[in-house]
Structures are given as structure tokens and as C-alpha cells.
Amino acid sequence: IRGKGFGLGMTVAQCVAEEMVGHLHITYNPGGGARMVLSLPARPPTLLLVEDETTAAAELAESLRARGWRVMVAHGGRPALALFQQDPADVVVTDLHMPDGDGWYLLEKLHALAPDLPMVAVSTADGAELRRAVAAGAAMTLRKPVSADEISDALAEIMES
């Protein structure tokens, strides 16, 4: 039976793909209709979240886990580096200003250790500091306060590229 859709199927499928850190490939047929192929990772991608504010870190980690990420949390640059060396992550999201080895320390060390590692720098600072973070190896920057949605969108963009 061939019915008429309401146009919501592809939107829902795209949302599912993004939430599960996958990819939706759509091919449109000239005579009508479309073919969708949903690709999901064999294992959840691993995120190293580095945030010294424990409540914020816990809330972000919980939300990102619900979106399909395996999340490791560190509360400073030095512990994050040690954790990364034990269990390398696919992507890192780090605050830039922390007491136990700041994000600048972490960006420098991880960039030297894994030059292709995607990193997102998060800060309350202005544009000049965020541009400096990109020069130091961050693939992307976000300004605080930052929501799990903003981080999720940034991660989806990074994983697509």
C-alpha cells in the first residue's frame, strides 16, 4: 500500500541519527520517494569531559550519556591527561580555566600527544581568548554558560567532519 506521508519521517530519522551519534544518508528517487540508510557506530563514541564544577560536570555527563556517548569525567587538566593516557577518548570537551591543570595545559599536552584529536574549548572568556584556543588546537569553542544541547550539536558537527 502506498500512502502519503506528512514529511515527518525524515526529520524524526535525522534526530535519531544525531542523538545516537550516527549518520543518516538520504537518496531521493526521481519518480518520488526516498531511500534512507541509518549508520550507527559499532560502539558508543567516547567523550572526555573536563570541568572543575562538579555539579555542572555531572549534569552534562548524564545528559550526554542519554544521547549515546560514553562519557569520562575529569575535574582538571592534569587528571584529564592521566585519564586520556589510560583510556583515550574520541573527543574532548574542556573548560579553559580550572585550578588543577587548566584547559590550556590540557590543549597543549593532548595536541602534542594526539594532533588529530577533536577538542572543544569552553570558557566564559571573550572572542580573543576563544580564537587563541583554536590556535592551540581546539577544533571548536563554546561560551559559557553552555547547555548539553549546545555541546551535543558541537559534537555532532565534529563527528560529521
Side-chain angles (χ1 to χ4, degrees), residues 18-99:
E18 288 174 6
E19 291 296 320
M20 298 185 77
V21 196
H23 178 72
L24 181 65
H25 180 75
I26 303 169
T27 305
Y28 294 97
N29 297 324
R35 178 174 182 237
M36 297 186 288
V37 177
L38 176 62
S39 302
L40 299 174
R43 67 168 178 84
T46 302
L47 166 69
L48 174 55
L49 177 63
V50 190
E51 171 59 66
D52 61 322
E53 296 176 25
T54 55
T55 302
E59 290 173 359
L60 288 171
E62 180 181 331
S63 179
L64 292 166
R65 284 184 186 113
R67 295 165 193 245
W69 287 88
R70 177 177 165 254
V71 181
M72 302 183 296
V73 178
H75 299 294
R78 293 184 205 297
L81 181 59
L83 186 56
F84 183 85
Q85 289 171 325
Q86 290 175 348
D87 188 4
D90 298 309
V91 64
V92 175
V93 175
T94 184
D95 188 0
L96 289 177
H97 300 285
M98 299 173 289

Side-chain angles (χ1 to χ4, degrees), residues 87-150:
D87 188 4
D90 298 309
V91 64
V92 175
V93 175
T94 184
D95 188 0
L96 289 177
H97 300 285
M98 299 173 289
D100 187 15
D102 64 14
W104 297 108
Y105 166 87
L106 186 62
L107 285 175
E108 176 188 328
K109 296 295 183 185
L110 288 179
H111 189 63
L113 190 64
D116 295 330
L117 175 69
M119 296 182 282
V120 178
V122 181
S123 178
T124 57
D126 64 6
E129 181 168 279
L130 296 177
R131 284 189 297 278
R132 188 173 140 226
V134 170
M140 188 177 287
T141 60
L142 298 171
R143 282 196 68 173
K144 280 187 168 186
V146 64
S147 70
D149 286 340
E150 290 172 294

